Amino acid sequence: MDSPSLTIETRAGAVRATAGPRQADSVVFELSGAMRGSVHVTGTHHPHHWDQFTAVRARLGPVNAFQTTAPGDALPRLTRSRTGYRGSLTLYRDDADRPEATVYPMQSAAEHDPSEKTAAVLTAVLRACAEHVAQRDDLPEILDTSRQRDTPALLRFLTWSAAHHQAEAARYEREARASHPARRAAVTAWWTVAPWFTAHPHPVLLLMLADLPYSLLPNSLARTVDVKQWWAPYCLTAAAQEHEHARRAQAEAASLRTQQRSRFPAPRPKSGAPHRARLEMEVS
């Protein structure tokens, strides 16, 4: 398809979007009619699976805003307006293979929200451009090139994410272990204070024993016992969830590395240097 044009009916009128020649990992549409400017469409990962490049992202402007920022005067705008807007839409398939779109906040170059009508027009144009690219015959090449582009940054993020979730899991496990002696100490203290109150009723002793709302008295012995009783199971559940998040991040990072190796096979090692070639593959 050479420079196909789309006609998009919007609340502001018809917008004509004409695709330019495909770049390595993107297609740029020039807008005319009820809107002026450009829309940049590229491949991206599925919103719920960082290692699966199966989605399409459309952004207002002529460039990939994840790599560079378009100047305000290059942002798309309604034909009768001087206000340009930034924003994006990601088009993907859900688990039932139905099309889904996630729209990210749109704002003017001055960081003002668009009106409801303008937001609807911008969203319609982004979605139409994204749907067009999602149906192109060269979509696999766009997605593969986008994966190559984003993989280094994703690997850094997933490595950080795995370490962060592991640290959080360890913190929750420490909290769970610490809650048991704290609960036992609070129970012992409660039974110590109870006879004092029975022998000599006093408002201070009553406050120590009473199970009052946290907003009124956060550190009563009864409240401490109650909190520590459910805090340990809660922490263990949270730790398990953090371990799962870390495992998933590690699995997605491993998947991306595998895709890298399959996309770029290692060169055949030269005779007499097998160890060096194997070391270079491991480092990469």
Side-chain angles (χ1 to χ4, degrees):
M1 291 182 286
D2 294 326
S3 299
S5 294
L6 314 174
T7 299
I8 309 158
E9 296 297 333
T10 75
R11 294 171 60 178
V15 177
R16 190 173 179 84
T18 302
R22 177 172 73 87
Q23 301 173 16
D25 63 348
S26 62
V27 178
V28 177
F29 291 83
E30 295 299 326
L31 308 177
S32 59
M35 271 188 72
R36 303 288 181 179
S38 305
V39 170
H40 181 280
V41 184
T42 187
T44 188
H45 59 81
H46 191 285
H48 308 307
H49 305 283
W50 296 86
D51 61 326
Q52 296 179 17
F53 275 73
T54 57
V56 171
R57 183 178 66 244
R59 279 193 167 271
L60 296 170
V63 297
N64 185 349
F66 281 169
Q67 294 180 304
T68 186
T69 301
D73 58 4
L75 297 176
R77 63 201 65 210
L78 299 182
T79 299
R80 297 182 179 179
S81 172
R82 296 181 179 180
T83 304
Y85 289 94
R86 293 187 173 92
S88 67
L89 176 147
T90 298
L91 185 68
Y92 61 98
R93 313 291 294 191
D94 65 13
D95 293 338
D97 201 33
R98 296 171 301 201
E100 291 284 347
T102 299
V103 180
Y104 297 91
M106 297 183 188
Q107 287 190 324
S108 70
E111 299 185 352
H112 296 148
D113 294 334
S115 67
E116 180 183 352
K117 175 182 176 180
T118 299
V121 174
L122 298 174
T123 300
V125 171
L126 285 174
R127 178 149 192 163
C129 293
E131 288 176 342
H132 171 80
V133 172
Q135 297 169 4
R136 288 175 59 120
D137 293 338
D138 57 355
L139 177 63
E141 288 83 359
I142 293 174
L143 294 175
D144 186 59
T145 307
S146 298
R147 178 184 56 77
Q148 297 172 38
R149 176 200 67 212
D150 290 348
T151 289
L154 283 174
L155 287 175
R156 290 192 295 271
F157 166 74
L158 291 170
T159 299
W160 170 87
S161 180
H164 170 75
H165 288 300
Q166 287 171 338
E168 284 294 287
R171 182 177 67 83
Y172 278 120
E173 289 166 347
R174 289 194 300 271
E175 293 270 357
R177 289 192 297 269
S179 69
H180 293 297
R183 177 179 177 273
R184 287 195 297 268
V187 170
T188 300
W190 194 95
W191 283 109
T192 299
V193 173
W196 298 350
F197 177 76
T198 302
H200 305 285
H202 192 280
V204 174
L205 297 178
L206 177 61
L207 289 175
M208 294 176 66
L209 296 173
D211 188 3
L212 297 175
Y214 186 85
S215 59
L216 295 178
L217 187 65
N219 296 318
S220 72
L221 295 174
R223 172 58 53 180
T224 300
V225 171
D226 181 59
V227 169
K228 295 302 181 182
Q229 185 162 352
W230 62 260
W231 183 244
Y234 168 81
C235 286
L236 291 176
T237 299
Q241 292 172 342
E242 293 293 338
H243 279 303
E244 175 58 23
H245 292 322
R247 184 206 62 77
R248 180 172 176 177
Q250 291 169 337
E252 290 177 334
S255 173
L256 284 171
R257 292 189 184 98
T258 298
Q259 292 177 63
Q260 273 189 316
R261 288 193 292 269
S262 64
R263 179 64 179 80
F264 299 106
R268 185 184 299 275
K270 296 180 180 180
S271 176
H275 176 72
R276 178 180 178 183
R278 184 165 58 251
L279 178 60
E280 291 174 347
M281 291 173 61
E282 291 173 352
V283 170
S284 64

